[in-house]
Amino acid sequence: MLVLGIESSCDETSVAIIKDGREVLSNIILSQDEHTKFGGVVPEVASRTHLKTIVPIYEEALEKAGVTLSDIDLIAATMGPGLVGPLLVGLTFAKGIAYAHSIPFVGVNHMEGHLSANYITHRDIDERHLSLIVSGGHTMLLEVKSFGEYEMLGNTRDDAAGEAYDKVAKIMGLGYPGGAALDKLANQGDPTYMKFPRAMLHDKSYMFSYSGLKTAVSMHIKSLTAEEFQKNIANIASSFQEAAIEVLVEKTLRAAKEKQINHITLAGGVAANSRIRSMFAERIRGNQKLFYPPISLCTDNAAMIATAGYYRYKKDGASELIVNAVPYLKMV
Ligand SMILES: Nc1ncnc2c1ncn2[C@@H]1O[C@H](COP(=O)(O)OP(=O)(O)OP(=O)(O)O)[C@@H](O)[C@H]1O
Ligand SMILES: [Mg+2]
């Protein structure tokens, strides 16, 4: 079954063709760089850029996969959560071609898309598993009972983990979005330079909080001279990263133990982080097994949307063409 997936929830315009939910025939991703100079995504600029780029990207995705629209069995597009203008561009385009060519359509939850990126590359994930989804807008620890059946164990009280990375990177002058640059810099520093707070680490819940850590890093930087800051920039990045990641790893492993779940999947942009991968690898025990997507499938892409659409369609059938964009669409 060939699925054409479309992602436009934020500042990536992406179209992919996936075979049977597993094989990536094409996955074209355009990351809009129009927002860099503003230090964050400008929704109206994002919508207009999606409008300009979606047709050429769609054509490129078909061409690269070596197929035509008549070969496509299902069209899947992100319907939320995300920015309403950007969402509407991809969703309306998807519904338009589905209607014009009588192809079934399915609306996809972007976060279910992130989770599904793991199904593209891994075939041996237990149906019941834990998933830690850490992205620019979300921090969620889910018990996946089966595809589409989730229990939310915890999320964030304030900032998302990726948002904390981006804010700290901005304070440190690493540009926007700065998560990947901060990760790279952190690898050159000393994680024991400063013990930044591990918020809610010993709290019995699976909730997270990142605004205090961001403030602690900001206050520390303000207490330094420009020279001291430059000398310790990698150490600050490394100490921030250790604090940010330790809470994610420890709480997930505690949930795995308490719920007796051995398989853990990571998803979302922060799953691309080098330390989250290495710290989990250091701390998992016994039969526990960790899965994560390749870096290119961690941040926003349409391959994950096509795969989520494939499984959604198999579970519930097609969506009505009247489905609308839902900016705060929930996962559970
Ligand atoms: N190596 C890395 N280390 C830490 N953070 C990273 C890394 N690579 C990317 N990120 C962060 O991942 C986030 C982007 O991920 P993603 O595309 O999943 O988020 P989003 O789509 O903006 O948010 P959401 O999926 O919640 O709607 C950014 O915050 C970015 O800084
Ligand atoms: Mg995302």
Side-chain angles (χ1 to χ4, degrees):
M1 181 177 193
L2 284 187
V3 184
L4 184 144
I6 298 179
E7 159 60 32
S8 72
S9 66
C10 192
D11 58 341
E12 265 86 23
T13 320
S14 181
V15 181
I17 317 281
I18 298 278
K19 191 173 173 195
D20 300 330
R22 300 269 188 203
E23 196 185 332
V24 183
L25 302 189
S26 64
N27 184 27
I28 313 295
I29 306 166
L30 177 102
S31 288
Q32 306 175 356
D33 51 19
E34 284 81 350
H35 309 281
T36 317
K37 60 177 179 284
F38 299 109
V41 177
V42 183
E44 186 57 25
V45 174
S47 309
R48 286 167 192 267
T49 311
H50 285 306
L51 264 178
K52 266 197 288 193
T53 53
I54 194 141
V55 173
I57 288 178
Y58 155 80
E59 285 168 349
E60 191 181 338
L62 286 172
E63 194 187 322
K64 181 148 187 237
V67 300
T68 64
L69 195 55
S70 57
D71 299 316
I72 301 295
D73 303 298
L74 176 70
I75 295 177
T78 305
M79 59 178 286
L83 300 167
V84 69
L87 282 169
L88 278 171
V89 177
L91 187 66
T92 311
F93 179 72
K95 290 195 294 182
I97 40 177
Y99 179 67
H101 297 269
S102 303
I103 302 170
F105 162 81
V106 68
V108 171
N109 182 311
H110 179 82
M111 304 318 292
E112 192 164 69
H114 276 302
L115 184 144
S116 301
N118 281 292
Y119 297 128
I120 299 175
T121 27
H122 305 295
R123 278 146 209 262
D124 51 346
I125 305 170
D126 285 347
E127 187 172 34
R128 177 173 177 259
H129 65 272
L130 271 190
S131 191
L132 176 69
I133 313 181
V134 269
S135 59
H138 296 81
T139 306
M140 304 195 296
L141 184 58
L142 292 177
E143 179 181 338
V144 180
K145 295 173 197 282
S146 62
F147 181 85
E149 204 195 331
Y150 311 114
E151 185 183 335
M152 179 76 75
L153 303 180
N155 53 30
T156 178
R157 288 200 187 283
D158 39 57
D159 294 355
E163 189 181 352
Y165 264 89
D166 291 337
K167 286 179 175 169
V168 169
K170 203 165 163 183
I171 297 167
M172 295 181 74
L174 301 175
Y176 178 87
L182 212 166
D183 181 12
K184 209 167 153 200
L185 183 63
N187 285 324
Q188 298 155 29
D190 173 9
T192 64
Y193 158 80
M194 190 85 199
K195 182 103 183 164
F196 287 126
R198 273 83 168 143
M200 306 186 81
L201 179 62
H202 301 295
D203 181 272
K204 282 205 169 11
S205 77
Y206 299 119
M207 295 300 286
F208 301 92
S209 165
Y210 277 99
S211 69
L213 174 58
K214 171 198 67 192
T215 307
V217 176
S218 165
M219 303 264 284
H220 176 67
I221 291 173
K222 279 189 188 136
S223 76
L224 301 176
T225 63
E227 202 177 308
E228 284 168 335
F229 171 65
Q230 277 315 324
K231 189 166 156 250
N232 287 297
I233 188 166
N235 294 335
I236 297 167
S238 191
S239 299
F240 160 77
Q241 175 142 291
E242 204 67 7
I245 299 300
E246 185 169 22
V247 188
L248 294 171
V249 173
E250 276 305 308
K251 289 200 140 180
T252 304
L253 291 178
R254 196 197 307 154
K257 197 170 163 203
E258 283 171 12
K259 303 218 157 251
Q260 300 192 319
I261 299 175
N262 283 329
H263 283 192
I264 300 165
T265 60
L266 306 181
V270 182
N273 184 265
S274 62
R275 190 61 185 130
I276 200 171
R277 294 172 174 209
S278 68
M279 198 185 285
F280 264 114
E282 285 161 20
R283 298 189 187 189
I284 55 171
R285 296 278 174 270
N287 291 332
Q288 288 177 333
K289 206 167 164 196
L290 181 71
F291 302 86
Y292 43 77
I295 286 179
S296 61
L297 297 179
C298 287
T299 43
D300 289 353
N301 67 87
M304 69 185 197
I305 302 301
T307 294
Y310 170 79
Y311 289 108
R312 235 328 124 189
Y313 181 71
K314 284 214 313 192
K315 187 172 171 359
D316 296 329
S319 304
E320 303 267 2
L321 283 177
I322 54 163
V323 299
N324 209 344
V326 185
Y328 295 99
L329 186 64
K330 295 268 178 278
M331 186 71 172
V332 181

